[in-house]
Amino acid sequence: MFEESGLASSHEPIETSVVDALLARHYQLSGRLERLATEKDDTFRLRTGTADLLVKVSPPDEAEAVVALQTAVLRHLETEAPHLPIQRVRETAEGSDDVPIETKDGRVRVLRVFDFVEGAVLARTNHDPHQLAKTGQMLGRVDLALRSFRHPADERRLVWDLRHFDQLRELIEYTSSAAHRRLAQEVFRLFHGAIVPRLGDLETQVIHGDYSPYNVLVDPRTDGFVTGVIDFGDTMRSALIFDPAVSLANLLGRTPWDPWREACSFVAGYERARPIKDTELPLLPVAALARLTLRALVTHWRAERVPERRDYLLEHARDDWANVERAMAVAVEEVVARLLSTRHDTP
């Protein structure tokens, strides 16, 4: 599963000159390429002088069908919800969505070009509860638009899919801190008791899969606040409740005196667009804790195996264990009661 998720190995970054040549040949584009830090693919900002574009080259161990899934999701949203601020895929001069690149070892990487969405990432902005509710509402609108989406590859197996969380206990062994191991074991206990028995009953659909503060662009000067939703690289069919859980995992503990404060604001906004079933809402805090714990476990496991991305990985997960501890200081039942009480608050 780690191999299918593109997390088990590293690869040589693609040369900028190769990307330049492919852009000129297939897109009739030229300009200055600026490499951007990412988790596993090669990503560039292309400055053409008249417009900025985003260029992505998939990692060699990511199946072409999975890349096609990611593109199909964007095309679906472009048609079904053109009002949403989603990245648009640029066609090649020949009318294709992408350009396959055969590597020396016979594998295929896929180059795609997207419109560059302007805005600051949510992670690097100060935001209030009202703006967080707007952020949650946007994810609810995306999930609504994806209800009818189907694709042959949408059942892909992904480490980040919380349906598999209970099977990943062995990752605890790679954590050097005894205190962190105890925290992880408690989260696995909560998940096994609350969510595992319900996995077969949860509402499922294709979800974004990684609606984190680094994949949401915002502008506080605009009424809608959210100006862009990017990076559908982890899109998959899974339990719907796991989509907002990803977002909550990134918000837990950021206000140490009230570790679930931002999460509750986000959920209040999400439910205005896509109400969560009464039977599933109590699972959301546990799913959020599981996602945050999973990232902490996977990050340190992977940082040892992919040293060239170590700084990027550790930067995104530097406070995870502290935030797990803060969030777990509040009883799950108390969090659920608070989520229920905020359902009808005014944004």
Side-chain angles (χ1 to χ4, degrees):
M1 186 160 55
F2 276 79
E3 291 178 357
E4 292 177 34
S5 303
L7 300 178
S9 62
S10 61
H11 63 266
E12 287 293 325
I14 193 167
E15 295 181 7
T16 304
S17 59
V18 174
V19 178
D20 272 326
L22 291 170
L23 291 173
R25 184 186 314 153
H26 295 283
Y27 290 90
Q28 299 177 356
L29 289 170
S30 62
R32 182 163 61 88
L33 282 174
E34 172 190 344
R35 191 181 292 272
L36 305 178
T38 56
E39 182 184 7
K40 56 186 180 181
D41 58 16
D42 287 291
T43 302
F44 305 85
R45 181 173 186 167
L46 174 65
R47 301 179 187 271
T48 67
T50 57
D52 286 1
L53 299 168
L54 193 74
V55 181
K56 296 179 77 72
V57 180
S58 66
D61 49 4
E62 187 163 70
E64 289 182 80
V66 169
V67 179
L69 162 66
Q70 298 161 9
T71 302
V73 163
L74 295 175
R75 290 297 189 197
H76 172 86
L77 290 172
E78 184 177 355
T79 301
E80 295 295 317
H83 54 287
L84 295 181
I86 308 296
Q87 282 178 307
R88 300 287 188 255
V89 182
R90 288 286 189 101
E91 288 187 346
T92 67
E94 300 85 10
S96 175
D97 285 332
D98 56 54
V99 177
I101 310 167
E102 188 168 343
T103 63
K104 295 177 182 177
D105 59 4
R107 293 185 290 179
V108 175
R109 305 185 67 179
V110 180
L111 181 147
R112 292 173 295 166
V113 176
F114 308 86
D115 289 345
F116 191 90
V117 183
E118 295 290 347
V121 293
L122 180 67
R124 297 196 176 96
T125 62
N126 295 319
H127 38 264
D128 58 32
H130 174 76
Q131 292 168 330
L132 276 176
K134 290 284 189 182
T135 307
Q137 188 171 20
M138 180 59 70
L139 178 61
R141 293 167 69 191
V142 170
D143 283 341
L144 270 177
L146 288 174
R147 281 185 303 178
S148 62
F149 178 76
R150 300 285 187 278
H151 190 275
D154 64 24
E155 292 281 3
R156 62 186 296 206
R157 294 205 321 151
L158 203 61
V159 166
W160 300 116
D161 185 351
L162 288 178
R163 290 182 299 176
H164 309 303
F165 179 71
D166 201 49
Q167 305 164 28
L168 298 173
R169 290 174 182 264
E170 64 186 58
L171 286 174
I172 297 176
E173 300 172 10
Y174 297 91
T175 303
S176 58
S177 166
H180 295 166
R181 289 197 298 271
R182 286 193 295 271
L183 281 174
Q185 288 163 353
E186 178 61 14
V187 173
F188 274 103
R189 185 192 67 78
L190 288 172
F191 190 90
H192 185 80
I195 295 182
V196 170
R198 298 283 311 281
L199 282 175
D201 304 325
L202 299 177
E203 181 178 1
T204 62
Q205 67 166 67
V206 170
I207 61 176
H208 181 285
D210 193 16
Y211 191 81
S212 79
Y214 289 92
N215 290 331
V216 181
L217 302 177
V218 300
D219 184 348
R221 299 168 298 180
T222 63
D223 291 338
F225 186 56
V226 178
T227 59
V229 179
I230 62 174
D231 197 351
F232 283 74
D234 287 347
T235 194
M236 60 191 156
R237 181 171 299 279
S238 187
L240 178 61
I241 195 72
F242 294 157
D243 219 15
V246 173
S247 307
L248 266 58
N250 286 276
L251 298 172
L252 295 184
R254 285 165 45 87
T255 48
W257 64 93
D258 188 1
W260 290 88
R261 177 175 179 266
E262 293 192 345
C264 289
S265 297
F266 184 95
V267 175
Y270 180 89
E271 288 211 280
R272 290 185 188 103
R274 187 98 160 81
I276 299 170
K277 290 182 177 180
D278 292 343
T279 55
E280 296 189 3
L281 186 68
L283 308 181
L284 184 54
V286 177
L289 285 168
R291 173 66 186 219
L292 184 55
T293 301
L294 179 62
R295 187 173 71 179
L297 292 170
V298 170
T299 294
H300 289 279
W301 176 90
R302 191 161 180 249
E304 295 181 5
R305 288 158 177 77
V306 192
E308 69 272 16
R309 298 185 191 270
R310 178 182 177 85
D311 291 345
Y312 174 87
L313 294 166
L314 295 181
E315 166 64 22
H316 280 61
R318 62 183 177 182
D319 299 320
D320 284 355
W321 288 118
N323 290 337
V324 170
E325 185 173 19
R326 290 168 183 159
M328 289 186 67
V330 183
V332 170
E333 295 77 13
E334 183 180 334
V335 178
V336 173
R338 188 168 175 182
L339 292 174
L340 289 169
S341 71
T342 59
R343 272 185 158 174
H344 305 295
D345 288 353
T346 301

